[in-house]
Amino acid sequence: QSALTQPGAVSGSPGQSITISCSGTSSDVGGYNYVSWYQQHPGKAPKLMIYDVSNRPSGISNRFSGSKSGNTASLTISGLQAEDEADYYCSSYTSSSTLPYVFGTGTKVTVL
Amino acid sequence: QLQLQESGPGLVKASETLSLTCTVSGGSISSGSYYWGWIRQPPGKGLECIGSIYYSGNTYYNPSLKSRVTISVDTSKNQFSLKLSSVTAADTAVYYCARHRRVVAGTLNWFDPWGQGTLVTVSS
C-alpha cells in the first residue's frame, strides 16, 4: 500500500497563503472524492480539517480550503497564523488495496 | 459528544503481543455508518493505518501488517481492540483509535474523532 506523496515542508509568513499538495493516482485521489486532510500539533492527536475534498467540519475556520485536480489534491491555508504551524496529512479512499484507505507522507508547515 | 480512549500496556517485550483496547463513549459502536480503526505513528514519522472493524466484525487490515494483526469488537462493552503479535522495535509508536466513516460497503473515508493516543514502546 503506497502512501500519497506530499512535500516535506512548506513555510509562509503570517497573513500569507500557502498550499500543500497531495499526489496520488487514479485509484485513489484522482478516482474518488474521498480526500481528507488532518492537522496535527506536536504531541496531539490528528484533527480532521477537510473531508470529501473540500468540505469543512463544524468549527473549522474558513481559512482552510481543499480542492482537487486530476490525481492531485491541495490544501490551502489563507491568512496564515502562528497557530497553523503543525504537521498536515492528506488521506484518501483507495481501490487498489485490501485496506481501502491510505494516508499521505505528511507536510510540516512552518510560520516564519 | 463522542469520545474514544485507548488503554493498555505502555511497554511490551520484543517477540510478544501488543494488546490495546479502545473504549467508545457518548455514542454507540453499533452505528451502521462507521467502522472503528487503529492508526499508529512511530516517533518522528507519519501516520499508518493499521486496520478497521465494523460492529458486525468485518475487518480491513493493512497488508503489511495483516499476518500479525487482529482487530476485534465487543459491542456489549462499546469497545474494540487491537492485537499485534511478534512485535519488534519497529512497532514502537503512538497508537490511536478513531471512528472511521463508511460511505458504502467497501468504501472508507475520514477518521473523526480520534483518541488521545497511547505510546507503546517495544523493549528488547
Side-chain angles (χ1 to χ4, degrees), chain B residues 32-117:
Chain B
S33 299
Y34 298 97
Y35 272 65
W36 303 88
W38 288 98
I39 308 99
R40 72 178 183 178
Q41 184 173 37
K45 297 188 177 181
L47 302 172
E48 179 181 38
C49 187
I50 300 170
S52 293
I53 189 166
Y54 200 50
Y55 73 93
S56 64
N58 189 53
T59 53
Y60 292 105
Y61 293 139
N62 189 316
S64 67
L65 299 169
K66 187 174 183 178
S67 63
R68 298 193 293 129
V69 171
T70 301
I71 298 176
S72 58
V73 63
D74 186 337
T75 55
S76 67
K77 294 182 179 179
N78 231 30
Q79 295 177 333
F80 62 107
S81 298
L82 168 70
K83 291 188 184 298
L84 181 65
S85 64
S86 304
V87 297
T88 69
D91 295 310
T92 293
V94 175
Y95 286 77
Y96 296 99
C97 61
R99 186 179 65 172
H100 203 173
R101 177 67 172 175
R102 169 184 180 268
V103 180
V104 295
T107 304
L108 297 178
N109 206 340
W110 39 264
F111 281 110
D112 183 67
W114 297 57
Q116 65 184 25

Side-chain angles (χ1 to χ4, degrees), chain A residues 67-83:
Chain A
S67 62
K68 189 183 81 168
S69 178
N71 294 337
T72 300
S74 298
L75 174 71
T76 297
I77 309 174
S78 58
L80 199 62
Q81 299 179 1
E83 65 204 50

